[in-house]
Amino acid sequence: MASLDNRSYYDEFAGWYERERGKGYHRMLDDLEVQLVERYGTDRDVLEVGCGTGLILGRVATFARSATGVDLSAGMLAKATARGLSVAQGSATNLPVRDASVDVAYSFKVLAHVADIEGAMREMARVVRPGGWVLAEFYNARSLRRLVKWLKPPSAVSAQTNDEAVYTRYDTKEAIAGYLPPELEWVTSRGIRIVTPVSQVHDLPVVGHLVRRAEDLLADRPIARDLGGFLVVVARRR
Ligand SMILES: C[S@@+](CC[C@H](N)C(=O)[O-])C[C@H]1O[C@@H](n2cnc3c(N)ncnc32)[C@H](O)[C@@H]1O
């Protein structure tokens, strides 16, 4: 399948994007991500880079002082706007946001699809106030998720395209450390999806509950920092 640029891919994906959300596996990802934003962003000015349809941003808006989002795709943003969220169209590598104007900039399931990752990290650092936080999620090259993705056939994201049609990068922790500009200090990280073999286990009675419980318990343990399929770096702006 031909590779699509990010904007066309996500415009195409927008119609189906929320089909699986709100329950099971996707609910777990959202919950573990939102919890982290809540730790750093309660009563603060918060920005989501690549906010998509605003599912996460809508939850963040309930505890942040202000919550705004930026995304490349008009198709995705139309849904965020319909939710009443404050959003703007723009790129992670050229954010339409003033220098040092937010306390927290976070990004989930986006940065692995941005080829100029150093540019995106510089932009997140630029918009955060000194002492503020960047929460940046990457796809871990050394994880069960990576292995399963490698073995599995591609998943459809619309009637026309699948998840292999967009640029995707899997990173080691060492590579991620190299993407941070000098003004960001890596303080800690959270690992999400450590033991889940395939997303469908979360739909099973009892087993789904146990796997979810295990993921909740492990997310902040050292094992998660090594093996989490999604690795969220918590970095402080010096
Ligand atoms: C998988 S979705 C994640 C959306 C949201 N963060 C969430 O967790 O529900 C990825 C989003 O990143 C956006 N995106 C991809 N590349 C981007 C870029 N270079 N700049 C801004 N947004 C981008 C896409 O349009 C899409 O809405």
Side-chain angles (χ1 to χ4, degrees), residues 6-7 10-11 13 17 21 30 33 48-56 70-73 76 90-93 95 106-110 113-114 139:
N6 278 16
R7 188 175 306 172
Y10 284 104
D11 282 346
F13 194 175
Y17 190 68
R21 300 285 283 260
D30 289 355
E33 292 166 346
E48 178 166 354
V49 176
C51 61
T53 60
L55 270 177
I56 305 256
V70 170
D71 200 283
L72 205 53
S73 157
M76 290 287 200
S91 168
T93 53
L95 292 170
Y106 70 89
S107 188
F108 300 135
K109 305 178 225 76
V110 176
H113 305 291
V114 177
Y139 298 168

PDB file of all heavy atoms in Angstrom, residues 6-7 10-11 13 17 21 30 33 48-56 70-73 76 90-93 95 106-110 113-114 139, ligand 1:
ATOM      1  N   ASN A   6       0.917  12.431   6.540  1.00  0.00           N
ATOM      2  CA  ASN A   6       0.160  12.356   7.792  1.00  0.00           C
ATOM      3  C   ASN A   6      -1.221  13.000   7.681  1.00  0.00           C
ATOM      4  O   ASN A   6      -2.206  12.472   8.184  1.00  0.00           O
ATOM      5  CB  ASN A   6       0.944  13.061   8.911  1.00  0.00           C
ATOM      6  CG  ASN A   6       2.004  12.151   9.513  1.00  0.00           C
ATOM      7  OD1 ASN A   6       2.348  11.140   8.912  1.00  0.00           O
ATOM      8  ND2 ASN A   6       2.501  12.510  10.673  1.00  0.00           N
ATOM      9  N   ARG A   7      -1.287  14.162   6.999  1.00  0.00           N
ATOM     10  CA  ARG A   7      -2.569  14.872   6.980  1.00  0.00           C
ATOM     11  C   ARG A   7      -3.628  14.054   6.249  1.00  0.00           C
ATOM     12  O   ARG A   7      -4.737  13.856   6.744  1.00  0.00           O
ATOM     13  CB  ARG A   7      -2.383  16.243   6.323  1.00  0.00           C
ATOM     14  CG  ARG A   7      -3.630  17.083   6.447  1.00  0.00           C
ATOM     15  CD  ARG A   7      -3.415  18.474   5.912  1.00  0.00           C
ATOM     16  NE  ARG A   7      -2.265  19.122   6.521  1.00  0.00           N
ATOM     17  CZ  ARG A   7      -1.767  20.281   6.121  1.00  0.00           C
ATOM     18  NH1 ARG A   7      -2.291  20.908   5.093  1.00  0.00           N
ATOM     19  NH2 ARG A   7      -0.735  20.813   6.723  1.00  0.00           N
ATOM     20  N   TYR A  10      -4.669  10.882   8.323  1.00  0.00           N
ATOM     21  CA  TYR A  10      -5.541  11.114   9.473  1.00  0.00           C
ATOM     22  C   TYR A  10      -6.883  11.717   9.068  1.00  0.00           C
ATOM     23  O   TYR A  10      -7.893  11.481   9.737  1.00  0.00           O
ATOM     24  CB  TYR A  10      -4.829  11.940  10.546  1.00  0.00           C
ATOM     25  CG  TYR A  10      -3.840  11.089  11.300  1.00  0.00           C
ATOM     26  CD1 TYR A  10      -2.474  11.179  11.066  1.00  0.00           C
ATOM     27  CD2 TYR A  10      -4.275  10.132  12.206  1.00  0.00           C
ATOM     28  CE1 TYR A  10      -1.563  10.366  11.727  1.00  0.00           C
ATOM     29  CE2 TYR A  10      -3.387   9.308  12.870  1.00  0.00           C
ATOM     30  CZ  TYR A  10      -2.043   9.428  12.635  1.00  0.00           C
ATOM     31  OH  TYR A  10      -1.157   8.601  13.288  1.00  0.00           O
ATOM     32  N   ASP A  11      -6.921  12.463   7.968  1.00  0.00           N
ATOM     33  CA  ASP A  11      -8.226  12.926   7.477  1.00  0.00           C
ATOM     34  C   ASP A  11      -9.079  11.703   7.129  1.00  0.00           C
ATOM     35  O   ASP A  11     -10.266  11.635   7.448  1.00  0.00           O
ATOM     36  CB  ASP A  11      -8.055  13.828   6.247  1.00  0.00           C
ATOM     37  CG  ASP A  11      -7.620  15.245   6.625  1.00  0.00           C
ATOM     38  OD1 ASP A  11      -7.708  15.590   7.822  1.00  0.00           O
ATOM     39  OD2 ASP A  11      -7.173  15.991   5.737  1.00  0.00           O
ATOM     40  N   PHE A  13      -8.684   8.664   8.382  1.00  0.00           N
ATOM     41  CA  PHE A  13      -8.878   7.867   9.609  1.00  0.00           C
ATOM     42  C   PHE A  13      -9.990   8.481  10.490  1.00  0.00           C
ATOM     43  O   PHE A  13     -10.626   7.778  11.282  1.00  0.00           O
ATOM     44  CB  PHE A  13      -7.528   7.873  10.356  1.00  0.00           C
ATOM     45  CG  PHE A  13      -7.345   6.886  11.474  1.00  0.00           C
ATOM     46  CD1 PHE A  13      -6.104   6.800  12.108  1.00  0.00           C
ATOM     47  CD2 PHE A  13      -8.354   6.035  11.906  1.00  0.00           C
ATOM     48  CE1 PHE A  13      -5.887   5.906  13.142  1.00  0.00           C
ATOM     49  CE2 PHE A  13      -8.136   5.131  12.943  1.00  0.00           C
ATOM     50  CZ  PHE A  13      -6.912   5.078  13.571  1.00  0.00           C
ATOM     51  N   TYR A  17     -12.009   6.794  13.744  1.00  0.00           N
ATOM     52  CA  TYR A  17     -11.045   6.891  14.837  1.00  0.00           C
ATOM     53  C   TYR A  17     -11.618   6.480  16.193  1.00  0.00           C
ATOM     54  O   TYR A  17     -10.950   5.846  16.989  1.00  0.00           O
ATOM     55  CB  TYR A  17     -10.457   8.311  14.902  1.00  0.00           C
ATOM     56  CG  TYR A  17      -9.294   8.369  15.855  1.00  0.00           C
ATOM     57  CD1 TYR A  17      -8.111   7.713  15.558  1.00  0.00           C
ATOM     58  CD2 TYR A  17      -9.394   9.029  17.072  1.00  0.00           C
ATOM     59  CE1 TYR A  17      -7.050   7.712  16.440  1.00  0.00           C
ATOM     60  CE2 TYR A  17      -8.334   9.037  17.957  1.00  0.00           C
ATOM     61  CZ  TYR A  17      -7.172   8.385  17.632  1.00  0.00           C
ATOM     62  OH  TYR A  17      -6.126   8.371  18.518  1.00  0.00           O
ATOM     63  N   ARG A  21     -12.892   3.235  20.767  1.00  0.00           N
ATOM     64  CA  ARG A  21     -12.490   3.944  21.985  1.00  0.00           C
ATOM     65  C   ARG A  21     -13.566   3.847  23.067  1.00  0.00           C
ATOM     66  O   ARG A  21     -14.686   3.454  22.824  1.00  0.00           O
ATOM     67  CB  ARG A  21     -12.199   5.423  21.658  1.00  0.00           C
ATOM     68  CG  ARG A  21     -11.096   5.620  20.638  1.00  0.00           C
ATOM     69  CD  ARG A  21      -9.700   5.378  21.177  1.00  0.00           C
ATOM     70  NE  ARG A  21      -9.188   6.443  21.981  1.00  0.00           N
ATOM     71  CZ  ARG A  21      -8.334   7.369  21.561  1.00  0.00           C
ATOM     72  NH1 ARG A  21      -7.896   7.362  20.328  1.00  0.00           N
ATOM     73  NH2 ARG A  21      -7.908   8.310  22.376  1.00  0.00           N
ATOM     74  N   ASP A  30      -6.097   5.299  27.188  1.00  0.00           N
ATOM     75  CA  ASP A  30      -6.537   6.667  27.494  1.00  0.00           C
ATOM     76  C   ASP A  30      -6.411   6.952  28.992  1.00  0.00           C
ATOM     77  O   ASP A  30      -5.913   7.998  29.395  1.00  0.00           O
ATOM     78  CB  ASP A  30      -7.994   6.879  27.072  1.00  0.00           C
ATOM     79  CG  ASP A  30      -8.178   6.920  25.559  1.00  0.00           C
ATOM     80  OD1 ASP A  30      -7.172   6.875  24.831  1.00  0.00           O
ATOM     81  OD2 ASP A  30      -9.339   6.977  25.111  1.00  0.00           O
ATOM     82  N   GLU A  33      -2.817   7.365  30.170  1.00  0.00           N
ATOM     83  CA  GLU A  33      -2.255   8.622  29.655  1.00  0.00           C
ATOM     84  C   GLU A  33      -2.833   9.821  30.416  1.00  0.00           C
ATOM     85  O   GLU A  33      -2.092  10.712  30.861  1.00  0.00           O
ATOM     86  CB  GLU A  33      -2.553   8.737  28.153  1.00  0.00           C
ATOM     87  CG  GLU A  33      -1.785   7.709  27.322  1.00  0.00           C
ATOM     88  CD  GLU A  33      -2.290   7.547  25.896  1.00  0.00           C
ATOM     89  OE1 GLU A  33      -3.397   8.023  25.560  1.00  0.00           O
ATOM     90  OE2 GLU A  33      -1.583   6.918  25.098  1.00  0.00           O
ATOM     91  N   GLU A  48      -2.077  19.940  24.185  1.00  0.00           N
ATOM     92  CA  GLU A  48      -1.907  18.613  23.583  1.00  0.00           C
ATOM     93  C   GLU A  48      -1.422  18.773  22.143  1.00  0.00           C
ATOM     94  O   GLU A  48      -2.057  19.443  21.327  1.00  0.00           O
ATOM     95  CB  GLU A  48      -3.201  17.786  23.596  1.00  0.00           C
ATOM     96  CG  GLU A  48      -2.974  16.416  22.916  1.00  0.00           C
ATOM     97  CD  GLU A  48      -4.060  15.378  23.153  1.00  0.00           C
ATOM     98  OE1 GLU A  48      -4.987  15.628  23.937  1.00  0.00           O
ATOM     99  OE2 GLU A  48      -3.951  14.292  22.541  1.00  0.00           O
ATOM    100  N   VAL A  49      -0.310  18.136  21.843  1.00  0.00           N
ATOM    101  CA  VAL A  49       0.242  18.166  20.480  1.00  0.00           C
ATOM    102  C   VAL A  49      -0.262  16.921  19.757  1.00  0.00           C
ATOM    103  O   VAL A  49       0.016  15.796  20.176  1.00  0.00           O
ATOM    104  CB  VAL A  49       1.787  18.193  20.539  1.00  0.00           C
ATOM    105  CG1 VAL A  49       2.367  18.129  19.133  1.00  0.00           C
ATOM    106  CG2 VAL A  49       2.266  19.443  21.271  1.00  0.00           C
ATOM    107  N   GLY A  50      -1.041  17.125  18.689  1.00  0.00           N
ATOM    108  CA  GLY A  50      -1.672  16.004  17.985  1.00  0.00           C
ATOM    109  C   GLY A  50      -2.890  15.545  18.765  1.00  0.00           C
ATOM    110  O   GLY A  50      -3.004  14.390  19.149  1.00  0.00           O
ATOM    111  N   CYS A  51      -3.845  16.463  18.959  1.00  0.00           N
ATOM    112  CA  CYS A  51      -4.987  16.178  19.849  1.00  0.00           C
ATOM    113  C   CYS A  51      -6.054  15.334  19.175  1.00  0.00           C
ATOM    114  O   CYS A  51      -6.981  14.861  19.837  1.00  0.00           O
ATOM    115  CB  CYS A  51      -5.598  17.486  20.348  1.00  0.00           C
ATOM    116  SG  CYS A  51      -6.237  18.510  19.004  1.00  0.00           S
ATOM    117  N   GLY A  52      -5.943  15.136  17.863  1.00  0.00           N
ATOM    118  CA  GLY A  52      -6.923  14.311  17.164  1.00  0.00           C
ATOM    119  C   GLY A  52      -8.335  14.826  17.370  1.00  0.00           C
ATOM    120  O   GLY A  52      -8.602  16.031  17.294  1.00  0.00           O
ATOM    121  N   THR A  53      -9.249  13.905  17.692  1.00  0.00           N
ATOM    122  CA  THR A  53     -10.659  14.260  17.852  1.00  0.00           C
ATOM    123  C   THR A  53     -10.952  14.855  19.233  1.00  0.00           C
ATOM    124  O   THR A  53     -12.099  15.175  19.528  1.00  0.00           O
ATOM    125  CB  THR A  53     -11.541  13.012  17.653  1.00  0.00           C
ATOM    126  OG1 THR A  53     -11.174  12.047  18.644  1.00  0.00           O
ATOM    127  CG2 THR A  53     -11.362  12.407  16.264  1.00  0.00           C
ATOM    128  N   GLY A  54      -9.912  14.934  20.075  1.00  0.00           N
ATOM    129  CA  GLY A  54     -10.087  15.591  21.379  1.00  0.00           C
ATOM    130  C   GLY A  54     -10.570  14.665  22.490  1.00  0.00           C
ATOM    131  O   GLY A  54     -10.987  15.143  23.551  1.00  0.00           O
ATOM    132  N   LEU A  55     -10.472  13.363  22.288  1.00  0.00           N
ATOM    133  CA  LEU A  55     -10.924  12.431  23.335  1.00  0.00           C
ATOM    134  C   LEU A  55     -10.152  12.617  24.629  1.00  0.00           C
ATOM    135  O   LEU A  55     -10.724  12.642  25.716  1.00  0.00           O
ATOM    136  CB  LEU A  55     -10.733  10.989  22.865  1.00  0.00           C
ATOM    137  CG  LEU A  55     -11.895  10.353  22.126  1.00  0.00           C
ATOM    138  CD1 LEU A  55     -11.506   8.955  21.663  1.00  0.00           C
ATOM    139  CD2 LEU A  55     -13.120  10.294  23.021  1.00  0.00           C
ATOM    140  N   ILE A  56      -8.819  12.732  24.511  1.00  0.00           N
ATOM    141  CA  ILE A  56      -7.987  12.921  25.707  1.00  0.00           C
ATOM    142  C   ILE A  56      -8.126  14.367  26.188  1.00  0.00           C
ATOM    143  O   ILE A  56      -8.290  14.621  27.382  1.00  0.00           O
ATOM    144  CB  ILE A  56      -6.510  12.621  25.366  1.00  0.00           C
ATOM    145  CG1 ILE A  56      -6.364  11.227  24.777  1.00  0.00           C
ATOM    146  CG2 ILE A  56      -5.591  12.909  26.546  1.00  0.00           C
ATOM    147  CD1 ILE A  56      -5.820  10.174  25.656  1.00  0.00           C
ATOM    148  N   VAL A  70      -3.444  21.140  19.339  1.00  0.00           N
ATOM    149  CA  VAL A  70      -2.993  21.426  17.973  1.00  0.00           C
ATOM    150  C   VAL A  70      -2.991  20.107  17.222  1.00  0.00           C
ATOM    151  O   VAL A  70      -2.608  19.077  17.783  1.00  0.00           O
ATOM    152  CB  VAL A  70      -1.567  22.040  17.986  1.00  0.00           C
ATOM    153  CG1 VAL A  70      -0.986  22.102  16.575  1.00  0.00           C
ATOM    154  CG2 VAL A  70      -1.576  23.427  18.612  1.00  0.00           C
ATOM    155  N   ASP A  71      -3.418  20.127  15.979  1.00  0.00           N
ATOM    156  CA  ASP A  71      -3.374  18.916  15.154  1.00  0.00           C
ATOM    157  C   ASP A  71      -3.268  19.328  13.689  1.00  0.00           C
ATOM    158  O   ASP A  71      -3.709  20.401  13.295  1.00  0.00           O
ATOM    159  CB  ASP A  71      -4.635  18.061  15.371  1.00  0.00           C
ATOM    160  CG  ASP A  71      -4.433  16.623  14.931  1.00  0.00           C
ATOM    161  OD1 ASP A  71      -4.469  16.357  13.712  1.00  0.00           O
ATOM    162  OD2 ASP A  71      -4.225  15.757  15.809  1.00  0.00           O
ATOM    163  N   LEU A  72      -2.681  18.410  12.929  1.00  0.00           N
ATOM    164  CA  LEU A  72      -2.459  18.640  11.498  1.00  0.00           C
ATOM    165  C   LEU A  72      -3.732  18.433  10.679  1.00  0.00           C
ATOM    166  O   LEU A  72      -3.892  19.030   9.619  1.00  0.00           O
ATOM    167  CB  LEU A  72      -1.421  17.596  11.062  1.00  0.00           C
ATOM    168  CG  LEU A  72      -0.526  17.822   9.873  1.00  0.00           C
ATOM    169  CD1 LEU A  72       0.221  19.126   9.957  1.00  0.00           C
ATOM    170  CD2 LEU A  72       0.459  16.644   9.775  1.00  0.00           C
ATOM    171  N   SER A  73      -4.616  17.560  11.144  1.00  0.00           N
ATOM    172  CA  SER A  73      -5.716  17.075  10.308  1.00  0.00           C
ATOM    173  C   SER A  73      -7.023  17.814  10.568  1.00  0.00           C
ATOM    174  O   SER A  73      -7.564  17.783  11.678  1.00  0.00           O
ATOM    175  CB  SER A  73      -5.904  15.575  10.587  1.00  0.00           C
ATOM    176  OG  SER A  73      -7.204  15.154  10.254  1.00  0.00           O
ATOM    177  N   MET A  76      -9.797  15.410  11.784  1.00  0.00           N
ATOM    178  CA  MET A  76      -9.752  15.116  13.220  1.00  0.00           C
ATOM    179  C   MET A  76     -10.244  16.331  14.020  1.00  0.00           C
ATOM    180  O   MET A  76     -11.047  16.200  14.954  1.00  0.00           O
ATOM    181  CB  MET A  76      -8.321  14.777  13.638  1.00  0.00           C
ATOM    182  CG  MET A  76      -7.816  13.451  13.116  1.00  0.00           C
ATOM    183  SD  MET A  76      -8.608  12.087  14.010  1.00  0.00           S
ATOM    184  CE  MET A  76      -7.493  10.752  13.705  1.00  0.00           C
ATOM    185  N   GLY A  90      -2.199  22.907  12.972  1.00  0.00           N
ATOM    186  CA  GLY A  90      -0.771  23.213  12.866  1.00  0.00           C
ATOM    187  C   GLY A  90       0.028  21.943  13.035  1.00  0.00           C
ATOM    188  O   GLY A  90      -0.515  20.882  13.349  1.00  0.00           O
ATOM    189  N   SER A  91       1.331  22.077  12.826  1.00  0.00           N
ATOM    190  CA  SER A  91       2.196  20.903  12.875  1.00  0.00           C
ATOM    191  C   SER A  91       2.990  20.843  14.177  1.00  0.00           C
ATOM    192  O   SER A  91       3.384  21.884  14.724  1.00  0.00           O
ATOM    193  CB  SER A  91       3.177  20.974  11.703  1.00  0.00           C
ATOM    194  OG  SER A  91       4.181  20.005  11.894  1.00  0.00           O
ATOM    195  N   ALA A  92       3.278  19.622  14.596  1.00  0.00           N
ATOM    196  CA  ALA A  92       4.108  19.409  15.785  1.00  0.00           C
ATOM    197  C   ALA A  92       5.483  20.047  15.616  1.00  0.00           C
ATOM    198  O   ALA A  92       6.129  20.395  16.609  1.00  0.00           O
ATOM    199  CB  ALA A  92       4.258  17.905  16.026  1.00  0.00           C
ATOM    200  N   THR A  93       5.920  20.203  14.387  1.00  0.00           N
ATOM    201  CA  THR A  93       7.255  20.763  14.154  1.00  0.00           C
ATOM    202  C   THR A  93       7.231  22.282  13.959  1.00  0.00           C
ATOM    203  O   THR A  93       8.273  22.893  13.722  1.00  0.00           O
ATOM    204  CB  THR A  93       7.903  20.105  12.920  1.00  0.00           C
ATOM    205  OG1 THR A  93       7.006  20.206  11.820  1.00  0.00           O
ATOM    206  CG2 THR A  93       8.221  18.646  13.195  1.00  0.00           C
ATOM    207  N   LEU A  95       4.663  24.644  15.949  1.00  0.00           N
ATOM    208  CA  LEU A  95       3.428  24.827  16.723  1.00  0.00           C
ATOM    209  C   LEU A  95       2.958  26.281  16.677  1.00  0.00           C
ATOM    210  O   LEU A  95       3.766  27.198  16.903  1.00  0.00           O
ATOM    211  CB  LEU A  95       3.671  24.423  18.185  1.00  0.00           C
ATOM    212  CG  LEU A  95       3.928  22.939  18.453  1.00  0.00           C
ATOM    213  CD1 LEU A  95       4.399  22.726  19.902  1.00  0.00           C
ATOM    214  CD2 LEU A  95       2.677  22.113  18.170  1.00  0.00           C
ATOM    215  N   TYR A 106       1.941  17.897  26.176  1.00  0.00           N
ATOM    216  CA  TYR A 106       1.970  16.428  26.104  1.00  0.00           C
ATOM    217  C   TYR A 106       1.560  15.967  24.715  1.00  0.00           C
ATOM    218  O   TYR A 106       0.880  16.695  23.983  1.00  0.00           O
ATOM    219  CB  TYR A 106       1.079  15.792  27.187  1.00  0.00           C
ATOM    220  CG  TYR A 106      -0.405  15.977  26.977  1.00  0.00           C
ATOM    221  CD1 TYR A 106      -1.147  15.053  26.233  1.00  0.00           C
ATOM    222  CD2 TYR A 106      -1.078  17.065  27.514  1.00  0.00           C
ATOM    223  CE1 TYR A 106      -2.514  15.204  26.039  1.00  0.00           C
ATOM    224  CE2 TYR A 106      -2.444  17.229  27.325  1.00  0.00           C
ATOM    225  CZ  TYR A 106      -3.159  16.297  26.581  1.00  0.00           C
ATOM    226  OH  TYR A 106      -4.502  16.463  26.381  1.00  0.00           O
ATOM    227  N   SER A 107       1.987  14.745  24.392  1.00  0.00           N
ATOM    228  CA  SER A 107       1.648  14.195  23.082  1.00  0.00           C
ATOM    229  C   SER A 107       1.601  12.682  23.170  1.00  0.00           C
ATOM    230  O   SER A 107       2.568  12.049  23.593  1.00  0.00           O
ATOM    231  CB  SER A 107       2.698  14.629  22.056  1.00  0.00           C
ATOM    232  OG  SER A 107       2.266  14.253  20.764  1.00  0.00           O
ATOM    233  N   PHE A 108       0.473  12.116  22.770  1.00  0.00           N
ATOM    234  CA  PHE A 108       0.272  10.667  22.829  1.00  0.00           C
ATOM    235  C   PHE A 108      -0.065  10.120  21.449  1.00  0.00           C
ATOM    236  O   PHE A 108      -0.966  10.629  20.780  1.00  0.00           O
ATOM    237  CB  PHE A 108      -0.882  10.322  23.789  1.00  0.00           C
ATOM    238  CG  PHE A 108      -0.662  10.784  25.215  1.00  0.00           C
ATOM    239  CD1 PHE A 108      -1.674  11.406  25.921  1.00  0.00           C
ATOM    240  CD2 PHE A 108       0.556  10.579  25.855  1.00  0.00           C
ATOM    241  CE1 PHE A 108      -1.481  11.830  27.233  1.00  0.00           C
ATOM    242  CE2 PHE A 108       0.763  10.990  27.169  1.00  0.00           C
ATOM    243  CZ  PHE A 108      -0.261  11.615  27.854  1.00  0.00           C
ATOM    244  N   LYS A 109       0.653   9.068  21.055  1.00  0.00           N
ATOM    245  CA  LYS A 109       0.404   8.352  19.795  1.00  0.00           C
ATOM    246  C   LYS A 109       0.577   9.250  18.571  1.00  0.00           C
ATOM    247  O   LYS A 109      -0.146   9.115  17.587  1.00  0.00           O
ATOM    248  CB  LYS A 109      -1.005   7.729  19.767  1.00  0.00           C
ATOM    249  CG  LYS A 109      -1.303   6.824  20.917  1.00  0.00           C
ATOM    250  CD  LYS A 109      -2.729   6.287  20.836  1.00  0.00           C
ATOM    251  CE  LYS A 109      -3.449   6.333  22.148  1.00  0.00           C
ATOM    252  NZ  LYS A 109      -3.926   7.646  22.570  1.00  0.00           N
ATOM    253  N   VAL A 110       1.488  10.174  18.649  1.00  0.00           N
ATOM    254  CA  VAL A 110       1.718  11.125  17.562  1.00  0.00           C
ATOM    255  C   VAL A 110       3.193  11.144  17.161  1.00  0.00           C
ATOM    256  O   VAL A 110       3.537  11.029  15.973  1.00  0.00           O
ATOM    257  CB  VAL A 110       1.299  12.557  17.984  1.00  0.00           C
ATOM    258  CG1 VAL A 110       1.625  13.568  16.896  1.00  0.00           C
ATOM    259  CG2 VAL A 110      -0.178  12.599  18.348  1.00  0.00           C
ATOM    260  N   HIS A 113       4.955   9.113  14.665  1.00  0.00           N
ATOM    261  CA  HIS A 113       4.573   9.313  13.263  1.00  0.00           C
ATOM    262  C   HIS A 113       5.168  10.607  12.703  1.00  0.00           C
ATOM    263  O   HIS A 113       4.786  11.030  11.607  1.00  0.00           O
ATOM    264  CB  HIS A 113       3.043   9.334  13.149  1.00  0.00           C
ATOM    265  CG  HIS A 113       2.395   8.099  13.724  1.00  0.00           C
ATOM    266  ND1 HIS A 113       2.521   6.869  13.131  1.00  0.00           N
ATOM    267  CD2 HIS A 113       1.672   7.908  14.857  1.00  0.00           C
ATOM    268  CE1 HIS A 113       1.875   5.964  13.867  1.00  0.00           C
ATOM    269  NE2 HIS A 113       1.366   6.573  14.921  1.00  0.00           N
ATOM    270  N   VAL A 114       6.044  11.241  13.451  1.00  0.00           N
ATOM    271  CA  VAL A 114       6.646  12.500  13.006  1.00  0.00           C
ATOM    272  C   VAL A 114       8.113  12.233  12.657  1.00  0.00           C
ATOM    273  O   VAL A 114       8.914  11.880  13.533  1.00  0.00           O
ATOM    274  CB  VAL A 114       6.532  13.592  14.101  1.00  0.00           C
ATOM    275  CG1 VAL A 114       7.216  14.875  13.664  1.00  0.00           C
ATOM    276  CG2 VAL A 114       5.057  13.847  14.438  1.00  0.00           C
ATOM    277  N   TYR A 139       6.869   4.934  20.690  1.00  0.00           N
ATOM    278  CA  TYR A 139       6.619   3.499  20.542  1.00  0.00           C
ATOM    279  C   TYR A 139       7.939   2.782  20.808  1.00  0.00           C
ATOM    280  O   TYR A 139       8.943   3.046  20.137  1.00  0.00           O
ATOM    281  CB  TYR A 139       6.125   3.166  19.130  1.00  0.00           C
ATOM    282  CG  TYR A 139       4.809   3.802  18.728  1.00  0.00           C
ATOM    283  CD1 TYR A 139       4.384   3.768  17.400  1.00  0.00           C
ATOM    284  CD2 TYR A 139       3.980   4.428  19.663  1.00  0.00           C
ATOM    285  CE1 TYR A 139       3.178   4.343  17.013  1.00  0.00           C
ATOM    286  CE2 TYR A 139       2.774   5.011  19.281  1.00  0.00           C
ATOM    287  CZ  TYR A 139       2.389   4.966  17.954  1.00  0.00           C
ATOM    288  OH  TYR A 139       1.195   5.548  17.577  1.00  0.00           O
TER     289      TYR A 139
HETATM  290  C1  LIG B   1      -3.318   8.335  16.656  1.00  0.00           C
HETATM  291  S1  LIG B   1      -3.920   9.991  16.642  1.00  0.00           S
HETATM  292  C2  LIG B   1      -3.792  10.441  18.385  1.00  0.00           C
HETATM  293  C3  LIG B   1      -4.754  11.512  18.790  1.00  0.00           C
HETATM  294  C4  LIG B   1      -4.778  11.810  20.282  1.00  0.00           C
HETATM  295  N1  LIG B   1      -3.471  12.217  20.750  1.00  0.00           N
HETATM  296  C5  LIG B   1      -5.274  10.623  21.066  1.00  0.00           C
HETATM  297  O1  LIG B   1      -4.510  10.036  21.822  1.00  0.00           O
HETATM  298  O2  LIG B   1      -6.454  10.268  20.894  1.00  0.00           O
HETATM  299  C6  LIG B   1      -2.564  10.867  15.955  1.00  0.00           C
HETATM  300  C7  LIG B   1      -2.892  12.318  15.681  1.00  0.00           C
HETATM  301  O3  LIG B   1      -1.660  13.006  15.388  1.00  0.00           O
HETATM  302  C8  LIG B   1      -1.903  13.937  14.361  1.00  0.00           C
HETATM  303  N2  LIG B   1      -0.614  14.225  13.702  1.00  0.00           N
HETATM  304  C9  LIG B   1       0.140  13.385  12.983  1.00  0.00           C
HETATM  305  N3  LIG B   1       1.269  14.004  12.582  1.00  0.00           N
HETATM  306  C10 LIG B   1       1.207  15.269  13.083  1.00  0.00           C
HETATM  307  C11 LIG B   1       2.052  16.406  13.026  1.00  0.00           C
HETATM  308  N4  LIG B   1       3.211  16.372  12.359  1.00  0.00           N
HETATM  309  N5  LIG B   1       1.665  17.534  13.651  1.00  0.00           N
HETATM  310  C12 LIG B   1       0.488  17.593  14.336  1.00  0.00           C
HETATM  311  N6  LIG B   1      -0.364  16.547  14.414  1.00  0.00           N
HETATM  312  C13 LIG B   1      -0.012  15.408  13.806  1.00  0.00           C
HETATM  313  C14 LIG B   1      -2.904  13.259  13.468  1.00  0.00           C
HETATM  314  O4  LIG B   1      -3.609  14.152  12.642  1.00  0.00           O
HETATM  315  C15 LIG B   1      -3.799  12.536  14.478  1.00  0.00           C
HETATM  316  O5  LIG B   1      -4.888  13.321  14.855  1.00  0.00           O
END
